[in-house]
Amino acid sequence: MSLRLTINGTRHEILSEPDTPLIYVLRDELKLKGTKLGCGLEQCGACAVMIDGKVALSCATPVEVFDGQEITTIEGIADTEIGKRVQQAFIAQTAAQCGYCTSGLVVAATALLSETPFPDDATTSTALTPHLCRCGSHPRVLRAVKEAAAT
Ligand code: FES
């Protein structure tokens, strides 16, 4: 069976086995290394991508589930107006320390602001809670989301 994915606006024919988790297709087959593998158990948020505009984890779900859907990875996030604002706000607020969780957080923040342009603090915290940052940069991440929402 041949799968076709649209990733960051480009159609790809996928050669990996259909039960391969999406992240391995992104990183190993398509060489899109911005999406990070953390726990591999859908518990840390490092592997987040957007599927049809909504945040989704890519580490455990087979690629065949995403057949025909629009996938946006961190490599394509700045192609959207909101994604560009979020990236710039993360930079301005130095909202990354080691950076391992950052791509997942930027993707999640972009999905949040796409759905809720002016989230209150509780809404932002709830949306970003599944994304773990062991460096403790969450206060700066929250400021970055607020800045991105305001610009
Ligand atoms: Fe997917 Fe941790 S790597 S949630």
Side-chain angles (χ1 to χ4, degrees):
M1 182 172 86
S2 171
L3 296 174
R4 288 175 193 270
L5 301 181
T6 301
I7 302 171
N8 303 329
T10 301
R11 297 257 296 172
H12 295 273
E13 187 161 343
I14 302 304
L15 304 175
S16 300
E17 292 297 319
D19 61 350
T20 306
L22 174 62
I23 192 168
Y24 295 106
V25 175
L26 296 173
R27 290 182 56 84
D28 298 340
E29 182 176 334
L30 302 175
K31 308 303 180 199
L32 293 167
K33 304 283 190 180
T35 303
K36 302 301 185 199
L37 180 63
C39 65
L41 298 169
E42 298 189 332
Q43 292 180 3
C44 76
C47 65
V49 297
M50 281 203 296
I51 307 292
D52 292 336
K54 302 214 180 297
V55 70
L57 302 174
S58 65
C59 64
T61 305
V63 65
E64 63 187 338
V65 170
F66 303 104
D67 191 26
Q69 295 180 307
E70 295 274 340
I71 300 171
T72 306
T73 69
I74 190 67
E75 288 87 353
I77 209 82
D79 294 341
T80 68
E81 183 53 41
I82 294 171
K84 185 187 292 185
R85 284 198 335 247
V86 169
Q87 274 194 337
Q88 289 171 343
F90 267 63
I91 293 167
Q93 294 293 334
T94 58
Q97 196 153 317
C98 83
Y100 203 82
C101 64
T102 305
S103 63
L105 279 163
V106 168
V107 166
T110 300
L112 169 66
L113 295 184
S114 298
E115 206 165 276
T116 308
F118 303 103
D120 58 25
D121 290 349
T123 301
T124 301
S125 289
T126 299
L128 300 185
T129 290
H131 300 266
L132 304 182
C133 171
R134 296 192 187 283
C135 303
S137 64
H138 271 293
R140 286 175 279 152
V141 168
L142 296 178
R143 284 201 299 273
V145 173
K146 197 170 273 194
E147 178 178 314
T151 51

